[in-house]
Amino acid sequence: DAGVIQSPRHEVTEMGQEVTLRCKPISGHDYLFWYRQTMMRGLELLIYFNNNVPIDDSGMPEDRFSAKMPNASFSTLKIQPSEPRDSAVYFCASSFGRGLSYGYTFGSGTRLTVV
Amino acid sequence: KQEVTQIPAALSVPEGENLVLNCSFTDSAIYNLQWFRQDPGKGLTSLLLIQSSQREQTSGRLNASLDKSSGRSTLYIAASQPGDSATYLCAVKVGSEKLVFGKGTKLTVNP
């Protein structure tokens, strides 16, 4: 398995533009997580899905952020409109069965810069 | 609210030294604890997973221990090498499906 695949690896956009981050989880994993990493706050959970259904989005900072998982092999995180304070590294992770036995597998991340 | 603390924030050691990284958490009601490695500009690589019922896990030169009652975990690295230089993160899995992360320890192993 190729692991969790995220695209793009880097994204530079202007304030106010829409940004879409993409994630392909490991086949067979039934949980998908979106995390954001900043120097100040470290890694924070934004939202997670179980069997493609959003379960907890309490970490999504504001209405400008939205996430979807239309099928078991694809998820998107969208920011519209983007702001400079959204600049961070966004990680997608997946797990099987709540991650109790095998833990979580993370993608390589998308480094977002909003100018 | 679960909080995870890693001390020290940064550590620099000469090659060959044995070292210990520390992780503490405030709520002992965890399912498991996972240690990750993060290289600059890269993602997180899982190193070791310790279930709440376990005391330790070993992989090669790495050994992680867990004392749930005291809210502590340690990652022991034997015979450190320059290639071990990275940021090491610990994370605990809590009942809400979240992984709560520490801020990490940045390790530099000098040749």
Side-chain angles (χ1 to χ4, degrees):
Chain A
D1 200 315
V4 177
I5 300 173
Q6 292 186 246
S7 64
R9 290 296 308 276
H10 302 275
E11 178 81 33
V12 180
T13 190
E14 292 185 346
M15 183 174 63
Q17 296 297 307
E18 177 179 296
V19 176
T20 299
L21 312 180
R22 297 172 177 79
C23 175
K24 176 179 168 56
I26 290 176
S27 177
H29 281 192
D30 52 352
Y31 281 83
L32 183 139
F33 306 82
W34 282 100
Y35 280 83
R36 179 171 68 175
Q37 185 178 39
T38 61
M39 289 290 292
M40 288 295 293
R41 301 172 68 89
L43 275 154
E44 300 175 292
L45 177 67
L46 300 177
I47 185 172
Y48 77 90
F49 296 81
N50 176 219
N51 291 323
N52 314 336
V53 177
I55 303 300
D56 183 353
D57 64 354
S58 60
M60 297 284 261
E62 352 182 334
D63 292 345
R64 298 183 297 106
F65 286 69
S66 63
K68 294 182 179 180
M69 192 165 185
N71 56 62
S73 59
F74 184 66
S75 177
T76 60
L77 178 67
K78 185 177 293 186
I79 308 173
Q80 166 64 18
S82 58
E83 297 182 3
R85 60 194 167 117
D86 301 330
S87 297
V89 182
Y90 291 81
F91 288 103
C92 176
S94 69
S95 71
F96 174 72
R98 303 178 64 199
L100 294 177
S101 297
Y102 302 106
Y104 292 28
T105 302
F106 280 75
S108 298
T110 295
R111 182 173 297 275
L112 173 66
T113 304
V114 183
V115 298
Chain B
K1 178 185 174 185
Q2 178 74 268
E3 294 183 358
V4 179
T5 303
Q6 291 186 247
I7 295 174
L11 181 64
S12 181
V13 300
E15 181 177 3
E17 191 162 299
N18 301 325
L19 59 100
V20 174
L21 307 181
N22 296 293
C23 172
S24 62
F25 46 96
T26 55
D27 188 344
S28 62
I30 65 171
Y31 286 98
N32 59 41
L33 183 146
Q34 201 165 353
W35 281 93
F36 293 89
R37 168 185 173 141
Q38 185 173 26
D39 292 283
K42 300 292 178 62
L44 280 69
T45 301
S46 180
L47 298 173
L48 290 164
L49 172 72
I50 310 177
Q51 302 294 347
S52 61
S53 59
Q54 296 176 324
R55 298 283 295 183
E56 65 178 333
Q57 281 286 336
T58 298
S59 176
R61 294 183 294 109
L62 304 180
N63 176 277
S65 68
L66 174 64
D67 184 342
K68 204 173 75 162
S69 61
S70 67
R72 295 178 188 274
S73 175
T74 61
L75 179 65
Y76 174 83
I77 302 176
S80 58
Q81 303 170 357
D84 295 330
S85 298
T87 296
Y88 291 81
L89 296 151
C90 77
V92 295
K93 180 169 173 60
V94 298
S96 61
E97 307 300 343
K98 292 182 181 181
L99 273 184
V100 180
F101 282 85
K103 294 283 182 68
T105 294
K106 184 176 181 180
L107 173 66
T108 302
V109 181
N110 301 300

